[in-house]
Amino acid sequence: MRHFHSYGPVDCRYHFCVQRTGLIAQGVEQLVGIPEQGGHYFTIWAPRQTGKTWLMRQLKKTIAEQYPEQFALLHFSLGGLRGVGVARDEGTDAVQFPTDLGELVQECFPGAPSVAGWKDLRQLFSKEHGIWDQPLILLIDEVDTLPPLLLDALVAQFRELYLARENNHLHGLALVGVRAVLGIESRRGSPFNIQKSLHVPNFSFAETAELYRQYQEESGQEIDPQLVEKVHRVTNGQPGLVSWFGELLTETYNPGPDRRIGPETWEMVWHKARFAEPNNTVMNLIAKARIPEYQPFLLNLFSRSDLPFSFHDPICNYLYLHGIIISETIRNGTGELTEICSFSSPFIQTCLYHALSREILNDRKAILALPPLDDLADVFSGPQLDLPALLQRYKDYLYRLKEQGVNPWKEQPRRRADLHLTEAVGHFHLFSWLQEAITRRCVVSPEFPTGNGRVDIHLRCDERRGIIEVKSFTDRYQIAADQKQAAEYSADLGLDSVTVALFIPVLEEDVLKQLSSTEVVEGVTVSVIAIGWM
């Protein structure tokens, strides 16, 4: 029986797979172009573990089947050149041809040619002196492993070949990588047609469902259809993660071949996937999110829904091409179309939230979360959780920190424009405090209903549930909109009350009291608790 496979190229003989025939056809069309004249030079790009290498192999196989004997086909990977050094010719800006690249060419190219320089490399494709006697389709994988200067130098050689296509056999070329489409940072530009670049998309829901249908058909074990929908929703169809959740559900935490895989299994898998099961893709994304250059942007994204997206912004470009964020098209307040940033999937968002919340806090053990004799009786004694009373404990905690000379906001990320704290710092801090204060009595979990700009903290204490919606102050007008939104969200969940934690860069208690209120909005009791920070 086949199984789910989440790391490395999928082999349909051994793994559950989907035949992405439309994507393959598109790649073949671009590589072949006009068979008698020439194909395209372009890039195949996508984040890690989305099927780039699999697609490259399928393209080679399909072209061989559709055009037997018409083209020579060669594919190889630059992955072995990771970390290779870059040197320049003395007195010039020219990049020297690396010995390691020459050895790779000798190993992968037919006839084991000896290549000692860039001219030798170009000569391999020559109609008069080269090693092929028919049109060549070339696919190069893992191009992002090369240092930018070396990649630029390599692309320059293909530019020369492209400009003299009548003299060489290089019919079609695809560079395969994460950032190939815009990662070739060359002042000379690129020979590649950006519009012809082939992006490997996430799975559609139909493709995700097909993978899980194959498992059920071959194993005879039923999977709750709602679980398949959840897998697709939380991963946004990211191929590697879709298959990884398949591994966890059907192998690691399978309740037994004679039992239906249902909600209890999903609960365990969802917990383990976020906290206990290692995944290379997730660890790689967390490592990139921790880079100081990108961390402030991501912290803002947790608390703002209006961060503009542009492919030409280096931060957006980097985070998008590595699968951390995506773009969404919305209409702004004036009715104009605009692009905004959003996290790539709910699963990645929650993993980043937990990872970054632990990293940016520095006072977890400064003092106790609650005074030793506080039993929170007023919070838990009624039929409903008294969340305004709980948030007052948090405000008291901040005051006690201040009295002890502890500044929880010291050295935390701040906005460049006005030096105010990045809003998400407060969100992380409140979440961390709640975990310490009530985690022995309640389940505390962050939820992200919109994918960006909104963090809700859900509390489940025995049979009682509550929601704290975390907001950042903009102006008095926005508070009314926040109250209405919170009421609608609470009503959708079947709750008749909700509490808004409103962070504001003001410490005057009079101001905080005036901004705090309790009102009934559309039948839902909405409490706003203003929390000052600086």
Side-chain angles (χ1 to χ4, degrees):
M1 185 182 121
R2 295 182 297 168
H3 58 86
F4 285 97
H5 183 68
S6 64
Y7 197 80
V10 169
D11 188 326
C12 293
R13 296 172 298 174
Y14 311 114
H15 311 135
F16 302 119
C17 66
V18 290
Q19 298 293 343
R20 312 188 80 177
T21 53
L23 187 63
I24 294 171
Q26 187 179 355
V28 169
E29 181 183 1
Q30 293 185 195
L31 282 168
V32 172
I34 302 175
E36 296 75 22
Q37 296 185 21
H40 296 288
Y41 290 17
F42 67 105
T43 60
I44 297 174
W45 61 281
R48 290 164 52 91
Q49 298 305 308
T50 51
K52 299 184 297 296
T53 300
W54 172 86
L55 176 60
M56 183 183 72
R57 294 178 178 178
Q58 296 304 306
L59 293 177
K60 181 181 177 183
K61 175 184 176 183
T62 303
I63 292 173
E65 292 173 349
Q66 294 183 359
Y67 300 91
E69 309 300 328
Q70 187 169 349
F71 297 107
L73 292 161
L74 176 66
H75 76 92
F76 66 97
S77 171
L78 296 176
L81 300 184
R82 191 182 305 275
V84 66
V86 180
R88 296 181 183 273
D89 290 330
E90 187 174 350
T92 73
D93 288 334
V95 175
Q96 293 181 6
F97 185 85
T99 302
D100 290 346
L101 179 56
E103 293 175 351
L104 180 66
V105 168
Q106 192 169 38
E107 176 184 341
C108 298
F109 280 47
S114 177
V115 177
W118 296 115
K119 183 177 180 181
D120 294 341
L121 180 66
R122 295 194 303 271
Q123 196 77 355
L124 296 177
F125 305 96
S126 167
K127 289 183 177 179
E128 185 176 355
H129 305 291
I131 58 177
W132 286 279
D133 57 6
Q134 63 183 136
L136 169 69
I137 291 178
L138 178 63
L139 303 102
I140 307 177
D141 201 3
E142 299 283 354
V143 296
D144 295 312
T145 59
L146 295 184
L149 283 176
L150 184 54
L151 179 57
D152 183 28
L154 179 62
V155 168
Q157 312 312 310
F158 292 124
R159 177 181 295 105
E160 295 300 316
L161 294 169
Y162 181 82
L163 295 175
R165 300 185 71 169
E166 68 279 3
N167 299 325
N168 65 76
H169 278 304
L170 190 53
H171 181 92
L173 167 69
L175 298 184
V176 185
V178 172
R179 298 193 68 200
V181 63
L182 293 178
I184 302 170
E185 298 165 355
S186 169
R187 295 180 181 179
R188 293 185 292 269
S190 169
F192 303 103
N193 185 331
I194 297 296
Q195 284 72 35
K196 287 292 183 182
S197 294
L198 184 60
H199 176 224
V200 182
N202 284 351
F203 285 153
S204 66
F205 175 70
E207 290 174 318
T208 297
E210 170 60 18
L211 283 180
Y212 285 75
R213 184 202 64 77
Q214 292 173 22
Y215 170 80
Q216 293 177 85
E217 182 179 87
E218 295 188 20
S219 68
Q221 185 178 29
E222 184 183 359
I223 300 177
D224 187 332
Q226 292 186 353
L227 265 60
V228 179
E229 295 176 4
K230 285 183 178 180
V231 167
H232 185 78
R233 179 178 58 81
V234 302
T235 64
N236 198 24
Q238 205 273 0
L241 294 178
V242 166
S243 292
W244 184 56
F245 272 93
E247 290 178 9
L248 297 178
L249 287 165
T250 65
E251 296 179 17
T252 312
Y253 299 99
N254 192 323
D258 57 339
R259 296 179 59 187
R260 186 173 188 253
I261 298 177
E264 289 185 359
T265 306
W266 171 257
E267 183 181 14
M268 176 62 72
V269 165
W270 179 240
H271 169 75
K272 292 290 188 178
R274 290 176 296 160
F275 301 112
E277 289 289 344
N279 178 278
N280 285 339
T281 297
V282 176
M283 291 189 292
N284 180 272
L285 295 185
I286 290 175
K288 287 177 169 56
R290 284 174 169 155
I291 296 174
E293 182 179 355
Y294 307 112
Q295 189 178 102
F297 180 92
L298 291 173
L299 291 178
N300 267 335
L301 191 56
F302 277 109
S303 55
R304 290 183 56 186
S305 59
D306 59 349
L307 287 180
F309 176 89
S310 172
F311 233 146
H312 307 294
D313 181 311
I315 292 179
C316 288
N317 175 259
Y318 181 90
L319 295 174
Y320 176 82
L321 293 174
H322 281 91
I324 297 176
I325 67 171
I326 57 176
S327 69
E328 290 187 26
T329 304
I330 65 168
R331 290 193 183 274
N332 60 23
T334 63
E336 293 181 306
L337 292 177
T338 185
E339 291 295 311
I340 61 169
C341 299
S342 184
F343 286 98
S344 59
S345 72
F347 175 64
I348 293 302
Q349 183 176 15
T350 191
C351 288
L352 292 178
Y353 186 89
H354 286 287
L356 294 179
S357 67
R358 290 183 176 91
E359 180 162 314
I360 67 174
L361 300 177
N362 58 17
D363 73 311
R364 289 176 62 89
K365 298 181 180 180
I367 62 174
L368 294 174
L370 295 169
L373 300 180
D374 188 350
D375 62 0
L376 298 176
D378 55 336
V379 175
F380 292 104
S381 60
Q384 293 185 333
L385 299 172
D386 190 340
L387 297 186
L390 183 60
L391 286 184
Q392 184 58 50
R393 301 305 207 287
Y394 175 64
K395 295 179 65 173
D396 293 342
Y397 171 74
L398 295 179
Y399 180 77
R400 287 185 287 118
L401 283 176
K402 182 179 179 181
E403 289 293 297
Q404 293 291 327
V406 177
N407 181 3
W409 321 121
K410 184 179 180 181
E411 298 180 356
Q412 297 299 347
R414 293 180 179 270
R415 301 189 306 222
R416 293 181 180 179
D418 54 15
L419 296 182
H420 285 167
L421 286 156
T422 301
E423 286 87 343
V425 174
H427 302 184
F428 291 143
H429 194 269
L430 172 59
F431 172 67
S432 177
W433 178 84
L434 287 168
Q435 286 187 308
E436 298 222 4
I438 61 172
T439 191
R440 283 161 294 282
R441 304 173 71 167
C442 303
V443 176
V444 181
S445 59
E447 299 289 337
F448 315 99
T450 60
N452 61 354
R454 180 173 164 189
V455 180
D456 295 341
I457 300 175
H458 287 221
L459 290 79
R460 190 174 73 249
C461 313
D462 296 325
E463 299 301 317
R464 289 172 293 183
R465 297 168 59 201
I467 302 173
I468 298 175
E469 194 163 304
V470 186
K471 293 289 187 179
S472 298
F473 178 83
T474 51
D475 52 45
R476 289 293 296 268
Y477 176 79
Q478 183 63 35
I479 293 178
D482 291 341
Q483 289 174 312
K484 186 175 185 298
Q485 181 189 63
E488 292 174 348
Y489 180 58
S490 182
D492 288 342
L493 295 178
L495 301 177
D496 58 9
S497 66
V498 63
T499 301
V500 177
L502 182 67
F503 280 89
I504 177 173
V506 169
L507 296 180
E508 288 80 4
E509 192 61 33
D510 289 344
V511 175
L512 298 178
K513 287 182 178 179
Q514 292 183 52
L515 292 175
S516 302
S517 65
T518 297
E519 298 181 22
V520 177
V521 181
E522 298 180 358
V524 176
T525 301
V526 181
S527 299
V528 177
I529 306 299
I531 302 170
W533 68 335
M534 293 295 286

